[in-house]
């Protein structure tokens, strides 16, 4: 692909030759890539690449060239690196190498600074060659503006072109007139291009016309004024989208970083803006009145610029190709797919861009290029022989070549080690639905059953097929064969489908029998009369429901589910609580305070509370407790007396009993307002209503309120002050007394503050309830406030 200088002689014909390179990116030999990987620990380390580029600036050209080749093999769309590379060659007057570099990068890096460097090189070569050089330079300007003249930053190139035309010598009036005509055409094109310099160019154009002919200038200015206004309006809108784009961003595979996402969104917005259908909405009617050809050219230009930064994004390539297809240019879409397949797999590990290959193959198949599509499918199979690729190829062969071709490939694919049960299901379904051959489909399922008897999904798919055949005898046989082979932990779904089948097609006796067998298989035979094996109303609901129709309301269904959960909790063996004093009681310390299988279920994973560090706000606030005080578990009755005794004997309380002592004040107030709970979880609506209607206090006031509502141990409680030692707070830490309080209230407050901090009331109440101890008779009565009516205070009195 090396182009001689003649092919880049900047004539229109020469530029068409260069334009053929637009279909792909020219990369250096593979050896340079390997060398680059040895230099860089991280292949796409942007910081390493930047440092390497800076280093190359200070090296001789012979040492810098390999570095630039290495960088550009990894970042082939970096206009900045290309510009630095070509300027290095220009600095040593290496014109041949400069021409080769330009031929490799110009049409794939549509960025103004690089093209300005190209113009600078052309003028350096041709400015001293007289009329011939002027002609070549003019063609180079036209070539440049033809490609990037619509860029919002192309104003300096328009200005330089106009300045160049003004500098051309005019030996006679005819040549002067020709120069003025050329200038007028360039000005009129420039003022219709939305660039940063559009207003400056408009002023220069007015001055130019007035200098030529004032009478003619008035008509031309009036004619182009509305067009200029439209271009200026488009520029102002386009500028909003351009400002968010990082033009120096190196193209790397997507990593999901916030910077990459911001750039992706910015480019998507810009592309949406440039789309004619969306532009009509934004501007309410195409203000520039540009024709379809110019609009198409503009969108292509923006996509090409986008790919400079998002070169490794498959979705951008796909959108680009789809836009070409919708525009009626299938050949252009094919070229885009070909470029995408060259760009994606080389630089992204562990992928061959299967998504783009499927899309490309779909396009080829749609336009009748069957062999090309087949080659693409085969290339996917050559790289990753997985079941999905085999299934898609089976479908393709069935569509384009018929049943026999698909069957032949299936016979080969099933021998592959990578073949899974998915291939059997896909081919059997194809034979049944497309070929209308249930016998062949049945044989395929039976053949696969020999290999995949332990795959529940395969069993269920086979059962669905037999159901569609209305073959109830073989369906029952299939379930019996499968359930005798499947491990218990994998058979639940098959059992459920078996029960569902019997509920739909079987008689009552078979339904009840299969349901009982399922219970015994999944839950074990257990003891006679075990609740897990007994019939329940849940079974009736399951038996007499259909699709989304239920024989009960949603509230009733929820109630049954809660009852089932409570029954499971009830079956857990817990030691009796009424033991003689002094004997230790084993308390089920589930993380949420519930005694039952909810917390201990194997399906629920809780953190290891033994490794937790208890938060102690006293260390920060300056509150110190007596070191001689032993932490005890506050309780409202003698129910936990033995447990507390055992705790005191060992010299430390449990982790759960320590937590409430350092609970923040707001949380203490929240716990004081918690409602009474009838099931494993509180009513969320009631809790929220209490929170919304309660004024959560701050500081020590919260602790006072928590204790003042009756949430303190009684004098008879072993966890009271007589047993637990003294944990007085400093007197100056007490909350401010309310105005108008009498002396008795002050004494009561001081007395309450002298009590130990309460433990988790909600947890204690749940543990008491789990042990079957009623708290209703000990709950304080006569509560007048809404919050206390639902708060569930500790039993006993405050003394």
């Amino acid at each position: 692909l090396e182009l001689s200088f003649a092919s880049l002689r900047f004539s229109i014909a020469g530029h068409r030759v260069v334009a053929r390179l637009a279909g792909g990116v020219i990369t250096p030999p593979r050896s340079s890539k390997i060398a680059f990987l040895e230099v860089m620990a991280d292949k796409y380390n942007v910081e390493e690449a930047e440092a390497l580029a800076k280093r190359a600036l200070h090296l001789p050209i012979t040492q810098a060239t390999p570095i630039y080749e290495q960088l550009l093999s990894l970042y082939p769309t970096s206009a900045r690196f290309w510009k630095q590379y070509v300027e290095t060659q220009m600095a040593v007057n290496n014109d041949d190498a400069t021409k080769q570099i330009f031929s490799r990068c110009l049409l794939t890096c549509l960025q103004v600074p690089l093209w300005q460097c190209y113009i600078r090189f052309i003028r350096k070569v041709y400015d001293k060659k007289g009329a011939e050089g002027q002609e070549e330079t003019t063609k180079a300007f036209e070539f440049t503006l033809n490609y990037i003249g619509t860029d919002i930053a192309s104003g300096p190139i328009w200005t330089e072109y106009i300045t160049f035309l003004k500098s051309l010598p005019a030996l006679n009036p005819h040549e002067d007139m020709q120069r003025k005509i050329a200038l007028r055409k360039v000005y009129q094109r420039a003022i219709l291009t939305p660039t940063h310099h559009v207003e400056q160019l408009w002023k220069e154009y007015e001055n130019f016309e007035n200098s030529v002919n004032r009478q003619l200038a008035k008509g031309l200015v009036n004619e182009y004024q509305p067009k200029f206004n439209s271009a200026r309006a488009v520029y102002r809108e386009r500028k909003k989208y351009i400002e968010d784009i990082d033009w120096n961003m190196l193209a790397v595979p997507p990593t999901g970083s916030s910077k990459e996402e911001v750039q992706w969104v910015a480019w998507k917005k810009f592309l949406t803006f440039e789309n004619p259908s969306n532009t009509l909405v934004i501007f309410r009617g195409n203000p520039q009145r540009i024709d379809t050809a110019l609009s198409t050219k503009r969108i292509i230009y923006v996509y090409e610029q986008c790919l400079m930064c998002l070169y490794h994004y498959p979705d951008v390539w796909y959108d680009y190709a789809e836009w070409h297809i919708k525009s009626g240019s299938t050949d252009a879409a094919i070229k885009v797919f070909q470029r995408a397949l060259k760009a994606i797999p080389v630089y992204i590990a562990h992928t061959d861009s299967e998504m783009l290959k499927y899309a490309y193959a779909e396009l080829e198949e749609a336009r009748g290029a069957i062999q090309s599509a087949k080659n693409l499918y085969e290339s996917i199979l050559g790289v990753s022989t997985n079941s999905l690729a085999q299934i898609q190829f089976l479908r393709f062969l069935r569509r384009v070549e018929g049943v026999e071709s698909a069957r032949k490939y299936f016979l080969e694919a099933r021998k592959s080690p990578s073949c899974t049960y998915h291939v059997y299901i896909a081919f059997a379904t194809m034979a049944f639905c497309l070929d209308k051959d249930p016998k062949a489909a049945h044989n395929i399922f039976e053949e696969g059953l020999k290999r995949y008897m332990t795959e529940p999904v395969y069993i269920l798919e086979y059962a669905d097929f037999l159901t569609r055949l209305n073959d109830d005898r073989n369906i029952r046989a299939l379930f019996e064969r499968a359930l005798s082979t499947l491990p218990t932990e994998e058979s639940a779904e098959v059992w459920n489908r078996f029960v569902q089948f019997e509920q739909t097609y079987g008689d009552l006796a078979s339904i009840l029998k299969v349901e009982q067998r399922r219970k015994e298989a999944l839950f074990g035979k257990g003891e006679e009369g075990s609740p897990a094996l007994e019939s329940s109303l849940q079974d009736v609901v399951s038996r007499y429901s259909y699709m989304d129709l239920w024989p009960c309301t949603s509230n009733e269904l929820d109630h049954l589910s809660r009852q089932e959960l409570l029954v499971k909790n009830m079956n857990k063996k817990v030691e009796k609580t009424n033991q003689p004093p002094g004997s230790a009681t084993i308390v089920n310390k589930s993380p949420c305070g519930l005694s039952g299988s909810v917390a201990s279920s194997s399906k629920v994973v809780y953190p290891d509370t033994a490794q937790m560090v208890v938060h102690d706000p006293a260390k920060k606030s300056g509150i110190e407790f007596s070191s001689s005080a032993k932490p005890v578990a506050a309780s409202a009755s003698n129910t936990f007396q033995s447990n507390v005794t055992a705790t005191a004997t060992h010299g430390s309380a449990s982790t759960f009993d320590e937590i409430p002592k350092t609970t923040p004040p707001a949380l203490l107030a929240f716990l004081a307002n918690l409602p009474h709970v009838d099931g494993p979880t509180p009513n969320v609506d009631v809790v929220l209503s209490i929170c919304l209607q309660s004024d959560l206090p701050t500081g020590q006031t919260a602790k006072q309120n928590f204790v003042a509502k009756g949430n303190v141990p009684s004098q008879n409680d072993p966890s009271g002050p007589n047993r637990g030692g003294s944990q007085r707070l400093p007197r100056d830490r007490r909350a401010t007394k309310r105005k108008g309080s009498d002396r008795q209230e002050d004494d009561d407050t001081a007395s309450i503050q002298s009590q130990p901090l309460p433990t988790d009331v909600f947890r204690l109440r749940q543990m008491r309830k789990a042990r079957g101890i009623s708290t209703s008779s000990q709950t304080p009565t006569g509560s007048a406030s809404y919050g206390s009516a639902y708060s569930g205070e500790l039993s006993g009195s405050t003394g």
Side-chain angles (χ1 to χ4, degrees), residues 133 168 181 255 260 268 394 401 565 574 626 661 686 733 799:
L168 293 178
I181 293 174
T255 60
E260 293 176 0
K268 284 289 185 178
L394 268 175
E401 295 183 6
L565 188 61
V574 182
S626 174
K661 297 181 180 180
V686 175
R733 300 291 293 177

Side-chain angles (χ1 to χ4, degrees), residues 522-555:
L522 298 182
F523 304 106
K525 293 185 178 181
E527 301 177 358
E528 185 177 356
S530 175
L533 302 181
E534 293 178 356
S535 298
S536 65
L537 198 57
Q538 287 276 18
D539 298 331
V540 178
V541 172
S542 174
R543 199 175 301 145
Y544 291 96
S545 62
Y546 182 75
M547 298 178 67
D548 59 342
L549 304 177
W550 300 87
C552 59
T553 64
S554 58
N555 290 336

Side-chain angles (χ1 to χ4, degrees), residues 1-8 14 17-18 21 96 99-100 103-104:
L1 292 173
E2 294 181 356
L3 296 181
S4 63
F5 183 58
S7 66
L8 218 142
V17 174
V18 180
L21 295 177
D96 292 337
K99 298 164 191 173
Q100 291 293 329
S103 68
R104 291 165 56 188

Side-chain angles (χ1 to χ4, degrees), residues 243-269:
E243 290 173 347
D244 296 332
I245 294 176
D246 181 9
W247 297 97
N248 292 322
M249 175 183 174
L250 293 177
V252 297
T255 60
S257 66
S258 58
K259 180 181 178 181
E260 293 176 0
E261 292 179 352
V262 167
Q263 289 301 302
W264 184 88
V265 171
W267 277 111
K268 284 289 185 178
K269 290 181 179 179

Side-chain angles (χ1 to χ4, degrees), residues 139-386:
K139 291 177 180 179
F141 271 114
E142 290 292 335
F143 174 62
T144 300
L145 293 173
N146 182 54
Y147 274 93
I148 66 167
T150 60
D151 196 297
I152 197 172
S154 63
I157 297 181
W158 286 103
T159 302
E160 185 179 356
Y161 187 20
I162 291 171
T163 303
F164 168 74
L165 292 176
K166 289 180 179 179
S167 66
L168 293 178
L171 303 179
N172 51 61
H174 177 71
E175 291 182 356
D176 184 61
M177 182 59 66
Q178 294 297 321
R179 184 182 62 180
K180 291 179 180 178
I181 293 174
L183 276 170
R184 178 177 288 112
K185 291 181 179 179
V186 175
Y187 267 124
Q188 290 173 353
R189 289 163 57 195
I191 62 176
L192 299 182
T193 305
T195 64
H196 296 305
H197 296 71
V198 65
E199 293 187 7
Q200 175 185 339
L201 290 168
W202 171 254
K203 294 177 181 179
E204 293 180 5
Y205 174 61
E206 284 184 311
N207 295 333
F208 167 76
E209 291 292 0
N210 288 324
S211 65
V212 174
N213 189 324
R214 286 187 175 275
Q215 293 181 353
L216 181 62
K218 185 176 181 180
L220 290 173
V221 169
N222 291 336
E223 178 184 353
Y224 278 88
Q225 180 76 49
K227 299 178 181 178
F228 158 71
N229 292 337
S230 299
R232 182 173 57 183
V234 173
Y235 159 71
R236 290 173 179 173
E237 287 292 331
R238 184 175 292 165
K239 183 181 178 182
K240 299 177 183 177
Y241 298 93
I242 294 295
E243 290 173 347
D244 296 332
I245 294 176
D246 181 9
W247 297 97
N248 292 322
M249 175 183 174
L250 293 177
V252 297
T255 60
S257 66
S258 58
K259 180 181 178 181
E260 293 176 0
E261 292 179 352
V262 167
Q263 289 301 302
W264 184 88
V265 171
W267 277 111
K268 284 289 185 178
K269 290 181 179 179
F270 190 28
L271 288 167
T272 302
F273 166 78
E274 294 295 343
N275 192 314
S277 60
N278 293 318
T279 304
L280 292 175
V281 175
I282 295 174
F283 293 115
R284 301 183 184 276
N286 193 6
Q288 280 195 278
R289 305 291 194 272
I290 57 177
D291 56 22
T292 304
L294 291 177
S295 176
T296 299
K297 182 178 179 181
R298 174 66 196 171
I299 296 174
I300 291 175
Y301 180 77
V302 176
Y303 267 113
E304 292 292 341
Q305 281 193 316
C306 178
L307 289 171
M308 291 174 58
C309 300
L310 307 182
Y311 186 65
H312 303 289
Y313 283 66
D315 61 306
V316 178
W317 287 103
Y318 179 77
D319 291 345
Y320 190 16
E322 276 294 301
W323 176 82
H324 275 300
I325 294 173
K326 293 178 181 178
S327 301
S329 181
T330 305
D331 293 338
I334 290 174
K335 291 180 181 178
V336 170
F337 275 125
Q338 291 172 348
R339 290 172 57 193
L341 295 182
K342 292 177 182 178
I344 301 295
V346 175
Y347 302 105
I348 296 182
H350 308 298
T351 179
D352 193 43
S353 188
E354 291 186 16
M355 296 182 295
L356 291 177
K357 281 193 174 182
Y358 283 129
Y360 184 18
E362 183 180 281
L363 174 61
E364 294 286 21
E365 182 182 350
R367 75 186 190 102
I370 303 302
Q371 187 58 45
S372 178
K374 187 175 182 179
N375 293 339
L376 287 168
Y377 279 108
E378 290 175 347
S379 67
I380 297 175
L381 289 169
V383 176
S384 57
T385 308
N386 53 47

Side-chain angles (χ1 to χ4, degrees), residues 377-586:
Y377 279 108
E378 290 175 347
S379 67
I380 297 175
L381 289 169
V383 176
S384 57
T385 308
N386 53 47
S387 295
L388 178 61
Q390 293 171 339
I391 291 171
Q392 297 302 332
F393 191 42
L394 268 175
R395 293 177 174 178
F396 169 77
L397 292 176
R398 173 63 180 77
R399 289 195 304 266
V400 300
E401 295 183 6
V403 179
E404 288 301 321
S405 180
R407 178 177 173 275
K408 182 178 179 181
Y409 176 73
F410 170 74
L411 295 177
E412 297 176 359
R414 66 176 185 171
K415 300 176 183 177
S416 172
S418 61
C419 179
T420 63
Y421 65 86
H422 304 83
V423 179
Y424 280 84
I425 295 174
F427 189 61
T429 305
M430 188 184 305
F432 178 62
C433 298
L434 300 180
D435 304 333
K436 314 299 181 185
D437 191 349
K439 183 178 180 181
H442 189 276
N443 292 337
I444 295 169
F445 271 117
E446 279 296 324
E447 181 69 21
L449 193 62
K450 299 176 182 178
R451 299 175 58 179
Y452 307 113
M453 178 65 81
T454 57
E455 291 288 346
V457 177
Y458 188 84
I459 301 300
L460 297 177
E461 289 291 336
Y462 190 9
D464 286 342
F465 165 73
L466 294 175
T467 302
R468 296 168 73 178
L469 294 181
N470 200 24
D471 190 353
D472 58 327
R473 183 174 60 85
N474 281 326
I475 293 175
R476 289 187 175 90
L478 173 64
F479 281 130
E480 295 293 348
R481 292 164 60 190
L483 292 172
S484 64
T485 306
L486 283 173
T488 304
E489 60 274 9
E490 298 180 6
S491 64
E493 193 172 357
V494 178
W495 272 113
N496 293 338
R497 185 67 63 86
F498 193 9
V499 170
Q500 182 182 6
F501 169 78
E502 291 295 349
Q503 290 175 352
T504 305
Y505 300 96
D507 53 22
L508 183 59
S510 62
I511 294 173
L512 299 176
K513 181 179 179 181
V514 172
E515 285 181 355
Q516 186 65 22
R517 289 178 57 195
R518 177 181 63 175
K519 290 180 180 180
E520 294 177 356
L522 298 182
F523 304 106
K525 293 185 178 181
E527 301 177 358
E528 185 177 356
S530 175
L533 302 181
E534 293 178 356
S535 298
S536 65
L537 198 57
Q538 287 276 18
D539 298 331
V540 178
V541 172
S542 174
R543 199 175 301 145
Y544 291 96
S545 62
Y546 182 75
M547 298 178 67
D548 59 342
L549 304 177
W550 300 87
C552 59
T553 64
S554 58
N555 290 336
E556 292 173 336
L557 189 64
D558 181 64
H559 180 68
L560 290 175
S561 300
R562 292 166 63 89
Q563 284 184 328
E564 184 180 10
L565 188 61
L566 292 174
V567 168
K568 292 180 180 179
N569 296 341
M570 187 176 61
N571 294 332
K572 294 297 179 179
K573 295 181 180 180
V574 182
E575 293 185 18
K576 297 182 179 180
T577 58
N578 48 353
Q579 296 181 359
S583 61
T585 302
I586 300 176

